[in-house]
Protein backbone atom coordinates (compact mmCIF):
# COMPACT_ATOMS: atom_id res chain seq x y z
CA UNK A 1 0.00 0.00 0.00
CA UNK A 2 1.28 3.41 -0.91
CA UNK A 3 0.64 6.55 1.04
CA UNK A 4 -1.72 8.73 -0.96
CA UNK A 5 -0.18 11.87 0.46
CA UNK A 6 3.56 11.44 0.21
CA UNK A 7 3.38 8.63 -2.34
CA UNK A 8 5.79 6.51 -0.36
CA UNK A 9 5.25 2.91 0.70
CA UNK A 10 3.65 2.34 4.05
CA UNK A 11 5.59 -0.20 6.02
CA UNK A 12 3.78 -3.09 7.71
CA UNK A 13 2.78 -2.19 11.23
CA UNK A 14 3.13 1.50 10.58
CA UNK A 15 0.27 3.64 11.79
CA UNK A 16 -1.99 4.77 9.00
CA UNK A 17 -5.23 6.58 8.42
CA UNK A 18 -7.76 5.22 5.98
CA UNK A 19 -9.70 7.66 3.89
CA UNK A 20 -12.76 6.53 1.99
CA UNK A 21 -12.83 8.39 -1.25
CA UNK A 22 -16.35 9.83 -1.57
CA UNK A 23 -18.09 9.04 -4.82
CA UNK A 24 -15.81 6.17 -5.68
CA UNK A 25 -17.42 2.81 -5.13
CA UNK A 26 -14.96 0.68 -7.05
CA UNK A 27 -12.46 -1.59 -5.39
CA UNK A 28 -9.59 0.43 -4.09
CA UNK A 29 -11.66 3.45 -3.22
CA UNK A 30 -10.15 3.43 0.22
CA UNK A 31 -6.83 5.15 0.36
CA UNK A 32 -4.31 5.07 3.13
CA UNK A 33 -2.04 7.78 4.38
CA UNK A 34 0.51 7.89 7.14
CA UNK A 35 -1.06 8.64 10.49
CA UNK A 36 1.85 10.90 11.21
CA UNK A 37 2.13 14.06 9.11
CA UNK A 38 4.19 13.39 6.03
CA UNK A 39 5.36 15.64 3.28
CA UNK A 40 2.98 15.74 0.32
CA UNK A 41 4.54 14.39 -2.84
CA UNK A 42 3.06 17.17 -4.94
CA UNK A 43 3.03 20.64 -3.54
CA UNK A 44 0.36 23.02 -4.73
CA UNK A 45 2.50 26.07 -4.22
CA UNK A 46 5.45 25.55 -6.49
CA UNK A 47 7.98 28.33 -6.01
CA UNK A 48 9.43 27.94 -9.48
CA UNK A 49 7.77 29.54 -12.47
CA UNK A 50 7.12 26.34 -14.37
CA UNK A 51 3.66 25.89 -12.91
CA UNK A 52 2.07 28.81 -14.79
ZN1 LIG B 1 2.84 9.50 3.83
Amino acid sequence: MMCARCNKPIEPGEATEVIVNPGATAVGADIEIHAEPCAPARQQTAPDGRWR
Side-chain angles (χ1 to χ4, degrees), residues 2-10 32-40:
M2 304 290 288
C3 174
R5 183 163 52 190
C6 66
N7 204 27
K8 293 179 181 179
I10 297 174
E32 282 190 61
I33 61 173
H34 289 111
E36 296 182 0
C38 53

Side-chain angles (χ1 to χ4, degrees), residues 12-48:
E14 192 167 9
T16 59
E17 293 183 6
V18 178
I19 298 177
V20 179
N21 196 3
T25 57
V27 176
D30 295 357
I31 59 176
E32 282 190 61
I33 61 173
H34 289 111
E36 296 182 0
C38 53
R42 179 181 296 177
Q43 296 183 353
Q44 296 294 332
T45 56
D48 54 35

